[in-house]
Amino acid sequence: MNKIFMNQVGYLPGSVKRAVLNFPAEDFRVVDENGDTAYEGKTRHFGNDDISGEDTYVADFTILSEAGSYRLEAGDVKGPEFKVGYACFDKLKRDICKCFYYLRCGDALARRYAGEYYHEPCHMSKATVYGEDVEPVDVTGGWHDAGDYGRYSTAGAVAVAHLLYAVRFFPNILDLEFDIPKEKCDNGQLPDLLAEVKVELDFLMKMQRENGSVWHKVTTFNHADFIMPEDDKNELFLFPVSSLATADIAAVFALASGIYKDYDKAYADKLMERALLAYDWLRENPKEVLFRNAEGSNTGEYPEAEDYSNRYWAACSLYETTSEGCYYQDAMEQKAKLEAFNKVATMKLYQGDVMTCLGWGDDGGLGGLSLILKKEDNALTLAARESFVNEAKRLVANGEKNGFNLCMERKDFIWGSNMELLKYMMVLTVANLINKDEAFEDAIVAGLDYLLGCNSMDVSYVTGNGEKAFKNPHLRPTAVDDIEEPWPGLVSGGPNIGLQDEKAQTIPKDSAAMKCYLDDVACYSLNEITIYWNSPLVFVMAGLK
Ligand code: G3I
Ligand code: 9MR
Ligand code: ZN
């Protein structure tokens, strides 16, 4: 079918503006709300590529900068409505942040703020410490991870990190209000984003044992059926501690301490105390403590092959906040181990330069962010800067290989491919701060365009944002709440050539990577949502120029 693929939400006035057509139209026009032609241009034939499965024609209308609401047309084909203007992403930004509120676990949702998406308190019972004969522990609160009701420490820490690094790099994001209950602090009220993040930080504190180590996750033994969270009454288990979770928590508590100190001194001190407690445990336990699911349990595993990247991140974050040389030394040591490991690794969790990885699996890049923020010219910081800039150049080069200017290759389309993209967009954003480059900026816009509809699925991967936004996330409450529309602002995992669930396997195996997607509630490997797929988008939107 003849289609015009494009960002269905909007473009900032000064940014590059492109649409992709899958049919040979020479001319295109952009019409405004009154049907008047605002811009006319000629397409450029790009042709076929490795990822989209389309013969592509590119329509560039960068010149159009006047604020308004438009459609792009070619022949008798009409594209979706989109906006141009400085405010075009305001709703999107509020929506993507508010989703963390809807994902809150415990007794924190209020009708006043959650409206029809309100649900009763959930997962309020104490959790059994798996395999140990000790008293059950109160670990209520935090955010549900995703479409399931598990709460996982490494995933939570990384989502919080994306949000807090956004605050550090782009403090204006704290002006964003998204209608959640405000928390009191020394300064009166916490900004919305910090109030929301505190919910997860408070929970993560409960996940820390007295000896400083951190339980890897709290979940029921197996995933709940498709029921509302308050109906999920099965026993909760705290599964064993890992050095992965402990290091991530040391890193993120130190980072948070540096931010909350401006709002609530006592809370910031407590965070730092806990960060140090976790770090002491890591020192006393230099051998990695990885994580595997208990026999027969099927909730999220978040397995990692080593803990060097986590320890590197912790060391960098503590160095950033304390300036103590011992952390710098530790960071050097962990980086050397990580690089040596990756030379011989058979199971790599990342696709790009390991020192720029920003996910739950590999988080060396998060350590890099701390160093970049500290702005010293020591060897580690120089290396981090260089890694980010070189990786950004690699990404720009990738974009030249397809009609969508998308910085991804076929192998990037794994489970949660939209996060692979968002992590790349974070790298481009940071690289652009180090070495301003229009090519980096254009690649970020192309990534955002892809996410918001400029893809060969012709879908916006953010609910409630875009004429053809996906509607059927693999998300338990949405699936069973009898409400037509899902919460707005959820980011889908997106296309995945691995097709790792039954419904996904109805898609032909040799399909183009971009087309390995279905907007179907059953497709957990293609269409789930998670806190750490929303959080990098918050970072990217905070940094967008
Ligand atoms: O790293 C390898 C790479 O080397 C290889 O080339 C590629 C192709 O097979 O796979 C990469 O590994 C992937 C891994 O994620 C790393 O991102 C696996 O295929 C993929 O199966 C794995 O998916 C993870 C999935 O759980 C299954 O373990 C997702 O990243 C992760 O986000 C997801 O997390 C789940 C939680 O367990 C439970 N809660 C929901 C959440 C989202 O679906
Ligand atoms: O709903 C679960 C989703 O959150 C996870 O990402 C996914 C992989 O762990 O598992 C989903 O649960 C499925 C379970 O693993 C197997 N039975 C079907 C469940 C979904 O309906
Ligand atoms: Zn809950």
Side-chain angles (χ1 to χ4, degrees), residues 7-10 87-100 173 176-178 422 425 448-449 451-453 460-466 469 488-491 534 537-538 540-542 544:
N7 180 328
Q8 302 166 13
V9 176
C88 68
F89 298 126
D90 287 3
K91 170 183 150 55
L92 174 92
K93 285 192 215 169
R94 287 194 301 272
D95 286 355
I96 59 179
C97 289
K98 179 87 181 240
C99 284
F100 294 96
I173 189 70
L176 186 76
E177 295 190 339
F178 45 97
L422 286 162
M425 290 162 72
L448 188 61
D449 289 350
L451 198 75
L452 298 178
S460 164
Y461 288 112
V462 183
T463 53
N465 286 268
L490 293 161
V491 177
N534 263 58
L537 182 57
V538 175
V540 168
M541 294 314 293
L544 200 68

Side-chain angles (χ1 to χ4, degrees), residues 145-146 148 152 223 300-302 348-351 360 414-415 500 524 528 530 532-533:
D145 183 55
D148 65 325
Y152 308 85
H223 282 306
E301 190 165 44
Y302 292 110
K348 289 191 181 178
L349 278 175
Y350 69 95
Q351 303 294 325
W360 56 262
I414 55 175
W415 190 320
Q500 283 140 301
Y524 52 82
E528 192 164 353
T530 76
Y532 53 88
W533 295 339

Side-chain angles (χ1 to χ4, degrees), residues 208 212-215 241-251 278-279 281-282:
Q208 187 173 34
S213 63
V214 176
W215 283 297
V241 301
S242 66
S243 53
L244 311 162
T246 308
D248 287 7
I249 261 43
Y279 204 88
W281 186 88
L282 292 171

Side-chain angles (χ1 to χ4, degrees), residues 313-373:
W313 177 27
C316 291
S317 180
L318 274 151
Y319 177 64
E320 205 257 323
T321 27
T322 67
S323 298
E324 283 172 30
C326 59
Y327 299 116
Y328 186 88
Q329 287 309 319
D330 288 354
M332 293 276 275
E333 201 179 297
Q334 297 302 331
K335 179 169 183 270
K337 286 187 186 167
L338 179 59
E339 285 170 344
F341 179 87
N342 274 289
K343 273 196 192 121
V344 295
T346 47
M347 179 193 136
K348 289 191 181 178
L349 278 175
Y350 69 95
Q351 303 294 325
D353 177 343
V354 69
M355 296 318 289
T356 63
C357 287
L358 303 163
W360 56 262
D362 267 297
D363 30 33
L366 296 170
L369 294 185
S370 287
L371 296 172
I372 290 165
L373 280 165

Side-chain angles (χ1 to χ4, degrees), residues 7 20 51 58 60 128 153 197 217 233 240-241 245 285 292 316 372 393 397 444 468 489 510 526:
N7 180 328
V20 177
I51 55 174
V58 181
D60 191 312
T128 304
S153 299
V197 166
K217 63 173 177 178
K233 301 275 192 210
V241 301
N285 295 271
R292 297 314 307 212
C316 291
I372 290 165
K393 288 182 184 158
I444 297 165
K468 288 175 266 185
D510 54 359
L526 314 179

Side-chain angles (χ1 to χ4, degrees), residues 104-106 119 122-123 144 149 151 229:
R104 284 190 193 185
C105 181
H119 63 73
C122 59
H123 305 106
H144 297 137
Y149 294 134
R151 285 168 292 150

Side-chain angles (χ1 to χ4, degrees), residues 138-295:
D138 167 27
V139 287
T140 50
W143 301 318
H144 297 137
D145 183 55
D148 65 325
Y149 294 134
R151 285 168 292 150
Y152 308 85
S153 299
T154 56
V158 164
V160 165
H162 293 149
L163 300 174
L164 293 184
Y165 282 117
V167 170
R168 288 293 305 278
F169 280 101
F170 313 107
N172 287 348
I173 189 70
L174 292 179
D175 296 338
L176 186 76
E177 295 190 339
F178 45 97
D179 196 33
I180 57 161
K182 312 255 185 189
E183 273 246 357
K184 295 262 179 300
C185 65
D186 296 349
N187 279 0
Q189 279 178 340
L190 279 176
D192 285 11
L193 191 58
L194 294 185
E196 193 50 53
V197 166
K198 186 168 178 290
V199 168
E200 183 71 359
L201 287 169
D202 288 347
F203 157 71
L204 290 171
M205 282 201 205
K206 296 182 183 173
M207 292 297 280
Q208 187 173 34
R209 306 195 79 158
E210 271 171 32
N211 68 2
S213 63
V214 176
W215 283 297
H216 197 73
K217 63 173 177 178
V218 55
T219 69
T220 48
F221 198 74
N222 284 312
H223 282 306
D225 293 336
F226 267 58
I227 50 177
M228 286 301 281
E230 60 268 38
D231 298 327
D232 180 21
K233 301 275 192 210
N234 284 337
E235 187 173 5
L236 289 171
F237 291 98
L238 278 160
F239 288 100
V241 301
S242 66
S243 53
L244 311 162
T246 308
D248 287 7
I249 261 43
V252 86
F253 282 4
L255 170 69
S257 170
I259 294 173
Y260 284 82
K261 73 174 185 324
D262 295 339
Y263 300 90
D264 185 337
K265 180 76 174 56
Y267 190 63
D269 288 347
K270 188 167 145 197
L271 283 164
M272 198 59 200
E273 203 179 286
R274 298 299 203 92
L276 294 172
L277 190 65
Y279 204 88
D280 282 345
W281 186 88
L282 292 171
R283 279 196 174 122
E284 281 155 28
N285 295 271
K287 200 175 148 19
E288 61 200 8
V289 183
L290 302 180
F291 185 83
R292 297 314 307 212
N293 265 349
E295 177 86 33

